[in-house]
Amino acid sequence: MAHHQVSRSIVIEAPAEQIFDVLATPGRHPLFDGSGSVRGVVAGPERLSLGATFGMNMRVGLPYRMTNRVVEFEEGRLITWRHLGAHRWRWELEPQPDGGTLVTETFDYSYAGTLLYQLAGAPARNARAIEQTLPRLKRLVEEGSADPER
């Protein structure tokens, strides 16, 4: 794993394009977010593309809004967004020979304030969130619901 990055992966039994459609639709982000902080879309396109900006209602203790911009985009394979804090959330999709897709989510805090992120415990907190997000995304894509009780 690269320095100042936290990554986790999961295999989802679906084509990369199907998974990418979920990731590229901001309105679906609250359905698979494992951090519990993503509440809903405030503004932006229905589907993301390179350079698109989208605002989300968030909550960590108190409610707030976060505006993100897509900074990397390869249809069906890669999408990355960043916000004012400069760190990035990257999603990489790698089709597997058996028909599934290896999905890797990365929190990349190498772009700014690495010491601040470390002191605030962001890497460990975001690793735990990714570990909750990936199974939720898997259930959403494979079963139609991210709810483990369904």
Side-chain angles (χ1 to χ4, degrees), residues 1 19 25 46 54 59 62 82 88 94 106 110 112 115 133 138 149:
M1 175 174 26
I19 301 162
T25 305
E46 189 172 313
F54 62 105
R59 184 177 187 101
L62 298 172
R82 67 170 290 250
R88 298 171 183 225
E94 211 178 300
T106 301
S110 64
L115 181 60
T133 295
K138 180 178 176 72
E149 302 302 315

Side-chain angles (χ1 to χ4, degrees), residues 68-80:
N68 303 285
R69 183 170 56 90
V70 177
V71 294
E72 293 180 294
F73 188 92
E74 182 183 336
E75 183 66 44
R77 299 293 179 264
L78 171 71
I79 187 165
T80 305

Side-chain angles (χ1 to χ4, degrees), residues 121-136:
R125 187 173 50 256
N126 287 325
R128 288 189 302 273
I130 291 170
E131 291 163 2
Q132 296 296 313
T133 295
L134 290 172
R136 290 177 62 87

Side-chain angles (χ1 to χ4, degrees), residues 96-134:
Q96 301 297 289
D98 66 358
T101 303
L102 179 67
V103 178
T104 301
E105 181 183 2
T106 301
F107 168 64
D108 183 347
Y109 60 105
S110 64
Y111 290 88
T114 58
L115 181 60
L116 179 61
Y117 284 123
Q118 289 170 326
L119 292 174
R125 187 173 50 256
N126 287 325
R128 288 189 302 273
I130 291 170
E131 291 163 2
Q132 296 296 313
T133 295
L134 290 172

Side-chain angles (χ1 to χ4, degrees), residues 2-139:
H3 197 55
H4 302 303
Q5 292 183 357
V6 176
S7 292
R8 301 291 188 271
S9 300
I10 196 167
V11 173
I12 297 178
E13 299 303 326
E17 294 77 14
Q18 181 182 350
I19 301 162
F20 192 84
D21 282 340
V22 173
L23 297 171
T25 305
R28 300 191 79 185
H29 292 184
L31 298 176
F32 61 85
D33 168 53
S35 73
S37 63
V38 179
R39 301 305 170 117
V41 178
V42 175
E46 189 172 313
R47 191 168 196 285
L48 300 174
S49 60
L50 185 61
T53 59
F54 62 105
M56 303 296 286
N57 279 327
M58 308 287 290
R59 184 177 187 101
V60 177
L62 298 172
Y64 63 98
R65 291 184 177 176
M66 183 65 66
T67 300
N68 303 285
R69 183 170 56 90
V70 177
V71 294
E72 293 180 294
F73 188 92
E74 182 183 336
E75 183 66 44
R77 299 293 179 264
L78 171 71
I79 187 165
T80 305
W81 56 79
R82 67 170 290 250
H83 60 68
L84 184 61
H87 63 268
R88 298 171 183 225
W89 292 97
R90 179 178 297 116
W91 296 85
E92 297 170 273
L93 289 76
E94 211 178 300
Q96 301 297 289
D98 66 358
T101 303
L102 179 67
V103 178
T104 301
E105 181 183 2
T106 301
F107 168 64
D108 183 347
Y109 60 105
S110 64
Y111 290 88
T114 58
L115 181 60
L116 179 61
Y117 284 123
Q118 289 170 326
L119 292 174
R125 187 173 50 256
N126 287 325
R128 288 189 302 273
I130 291 170
E131 291 163 2
Q132 296 296 313
T133 295
L134 290 172
R136 290 177 62 87
L137 178 63
K138 180 178 176 72
R139 284 191 299 272

